[in-house]
Amino acid sequence: MAWDPCNKTGDKHEEDVPGCGDSTWLVMTVFNLYIFDRNGTCLHYSEWNRKKQPGMSREEEFKLMYGMLFSIKSFISRLSPTDYKDGFLNYQTNKYKLHFYETPSGLKFVMNTDLAAGNMRETLHQIYSSIYVEYVVKNPLYELGQPIESELFKAKLDNFVRGLPMFATKSS
Amino acid sequence: MVIYSVFVVNKAGSLIYHNDHSPSRPEVEKTFGYPLELTLKLQDERLLVIFGQRDGIRVGHTLLAINGEDVSGTKLGTDNEKNVMDVLNDQSNYPISIKFGRPKLSSNERIMLASMFHSLFAIGSQLSPEPRSSGIEVLETDAFKLHCFQTQTGIKFIVLTDPRQGGVDAILHRLHELYADYALKNSFYALDMPIRCELFDTSLQTALEQAEKSGVYSGV
C-alpha cells in the first residue's frame, strides 16, 4: 500500500492540498519570503507554499515577525560567549527553518523553508544583490521606505525563487 | 568542541537552573596614551565601546579593569570612589592600562534572557507557515548554536554549544533524565522551583565533559 502522507497523522484530508494521495513527495520547498527595511516597514512579502495563516492580519504578522527578529538579535548579542561577525543566521523548529540575512544598511531578508534546505545565506545575498539592488534601488521612481510596487521586481523575484534547485511544489 | 552553558526553564518561563561550563570570555588588556581613541558610552550600568574598534577590542566590549583594578559600573576599585570617566579624561593618569572584554552575564540578566527565549520559542511556533509546528529547537549564529528541548510538561532544556558540536540531542535527553532522577524524584523538591542539588550538578558536569571530549555524546 503506497504511503499516503496526508493520513500519516490522521488529520482531515483537504481536497485542495496538491500532491495528497500521490506517491510522489518532493521534499524541499520555500514557504515564504519577507523583506524589511531598517525601520521595520515590510517592503515586500511573497508566499509560495504556505499552509497555515497565523491567525492575525498581515500587518500584525509583519510587526510580530520584525519584533521577533529584533529581539533575537538583541538576545544573541548579550548571550554570545565570544565575539561574532555575522550574528543570527537561522533557526529551525520541527516543521520549518527560518533563514535570516541582514545587509549593512539594515535591510532584512527573511525566508522560511522546510527542514531539508541547507544554508540559504548565499541565496538571500543573491536576492539582495541581483534583484533588490537592480530593480528597486536602481529604480528612480521608487520611494525609500515604502512597500515595493514594481511588478518587474515581483516577477523577477518569483522566477528566481521558483528556479532555485531546492524549490519544488508538491507535484500532482 | 565547547559547550558554553546549560539553562533549564520552567513552564512559566523562569530560569530554574543554569550552568556556565565555558572557559572565560575573551579579554584584551592594552596600554593607551592620551587622548583615548575609543568612544565609550554608558549603557545598562556598564561602559561599552561604541566606536574605535582596534587591536582585538571590538564594539560591544565592556571596560573591565583599569591598571589592574576591576571596574564595577562606572566606579573604580573596591572603595567605589573614583568615577571611571574622570580617570580617563584626566591626562595625568596616562599612559594607562585598560582591560576590555565581553561582559559576563549578571544573574538578573540571565533570568531575563531565559524568559526572553521562552517567549521567542512561542512566537516561532505562532509564525510558522506549516501547521502544528513546535517552537524554536535550534538557533544558529556564527559564534554559537542554541539547542532547546521542550518536554511534555513544558520544561525547556537549553544548551549553548560550539556550532560544530554534534550529538546535542543526546545531551538534551540525558539532561531530561537527570532532571527526572535528581529533581523530580527528590521528595523535598518543589515543582517549578530552582534546582539546588549537588548530585544533579555533578552528573551534569560529567555528561558535558564526556560530550566535549568526544565531540559527540554517546548517551552513556
Side-chain angles (χ1 to χ4, degrees), chain B residues 3-220:
Chain B
I3 295 179
Y4 294 112
S5 40
V6 172
F7 295 84
V8 182
V9 178
N10 68 11
K11 58 177 177 286
S14 354
L15 187 64
I16 59 175
Y17 182 80
H18 81 87
N19 179 327
D20 281 327
H21 196 247
S22 70
S24 53
R25 293 175 163 220
E27 286 175 353
V28 178
E29 182 152 21
K30 291 195 65 55
T31 315
F32 294 91
Y34 190 82
L36 198 63
E37 278 161 7
L38 304 161
T39 312
L40 298 173
K41 183 179 136 183
L42 181 65
Q43 191 180 325
D44 289 339
E45 302 288 312
R46 293 192 184 115
L47 282 168
L48 289 181
V49 176
I50 53 166
F51 190 76
Q53 195 163 289
R54 53 182 280 209
D55 293 339
I57 300 167
R58 310 278 308 272
V59 166
H61 277 195
T62 311
L63 198 149
L64 295 175
I66 291 183
N67 288 336
E69 272 183 87
D70 286 330
V71 164
S72 62
T74 52
K75 301 280 185 285
L76 189 63
T78 46
D79 49 4
N80 276 354
E81 274 183 12
K82 286 174 284 183
N83 189 315
V84 169
M85 289 317 291
D86 293 338
V87 170
L88 290 176
N89 289 332
D90 187 353
Q91 191 169 1
S92 61
N93 289 322
Y94 286 82
I96 197 168
S97 160
I98 314 181
K99 191 166 21 157
F100 289 96
R102 285 195 69 83
K104 229 173 148 26
L105 285 175
S106 70
S107 59
N108 275 344
E109 277 203 314
R110 241 184 247 117
I111 293 171
M112 204 220 37
L113 288 174
S115 306
M116 201 174 190
F117 182 74
H118 174 85
S119 315
L120 292 172
F121 182 93
I123 298 175
S125 161
Q126 211 180 348
L127 286 175
S128 166
E130 287 276 274
R132 287 190 317 280
S133 168
S134 74
I136 298 175
E137 291 188 339
V138 179
L139 189 139
E140 186 169 1
T141 75
D142 57 354
F144 69 93
K145 215 165 172 179
L146 181 150
H147 300 257
C148 176
F149 169 55
Q150 177 168 278
T151 68
Q152 301 283 47
T153 53
I155 305 283
K156 290 188 207 13
F157 295 96
I158 297 163
V159 176
L160 291 190
T161 71
D162 184 291
R164 293 155 299 162
Q165 175 83 30
V168 190
D169 280 342
I171 299 172
L172 290 168
H173 283 93
R174 176 78 183 129
L175 281 181
H176 187 194
E177 225 180 277
L178 294 175
Y179 171 75
D181 285 341
Y182 297 113
L184 297 180
K185 292 181 189 175
N186 178 357
S187 13
F188 298 110
Y189 173 69
L191 216 55
D192 289 341
M193 286 286 119
I195 302 170
R196 294 197 204 294
C197 172
E198 221 180 285
L199 284 173
F200 182 71
D201 290 334
T202 45
S203 336
L204 191 141
Q205 291 281 23
T206 319
L208 293 182
E209 272 155 25
Q210 215 178 333
E212 276 188 323
K213 233 183 299 173
S214 61
V216 175
Y217 185 66
S218 56
V220 180

Side-chain angles (χ1 to χ4, degrees), chain A residues 9 11 31-32 34 49-54 56 61 64-65 67-72 74-97 112-113 170, chain B residues 4-5 7 22-26 44 56 58-59 61 102-103 105 109-110 112-114 116-117 120 123-144 146 160:
Chain A
T9 48
D11 49 10
F31 298 127
N32 51 10
Y34 304 74
N49 279 319
R50 185 174 202 165
K51 280 200 232 81
K52 170 189 165 274
Q53 299 302 326
M56 58 183 89
E61 185 196 344
L64 186 62
M65 174 61 81
M68 180 186 72
L69 294 169
F70 188 86
S71 304
I72 289 178
S74 159
F75 174 75
I76 66 164
S77 77
R78 280 185 278 187
L79 198 60
S80 181
T82 58
D83 297 321
Y84 55 87
K85 197 166 67 77
D86 295 319
F88 174 50
L89 298 172
N90 60 63
Y91 75 65
Q92 71 182 60
T93 73
N94 66 344
K95 290 276 181 337
Y96 77 99
K97 195 167 179 181
N112 289 331
T113 66
K170 298 170 186 45
Chain B
Y4 294 112
S5 40
F7 295 84
S22 70
S24 53
R25 293 175 163 220
D44 289 339
R58 310 278 308 272
V59 166
H61 277 195
R102 285 195 69 83
L105 285 175
E109 277 203 314
R110 241 184 247 117
M112 204 220 37
L113 288 174
M116 201 174 190
F117 182 74
L120 292 172
I123 298 175
S125 161
Q126 211 180 348
L127 286 175
S128 166
E130 287 276 274
R132 287 190 317 280
S133 168
S134 74
I136 298 175
E137 291 188 339
V138 179
L139 189 139
E140 186 169 1
T141 75
D142 57 354
F144 69 93
L146 181 150
L160 291 190

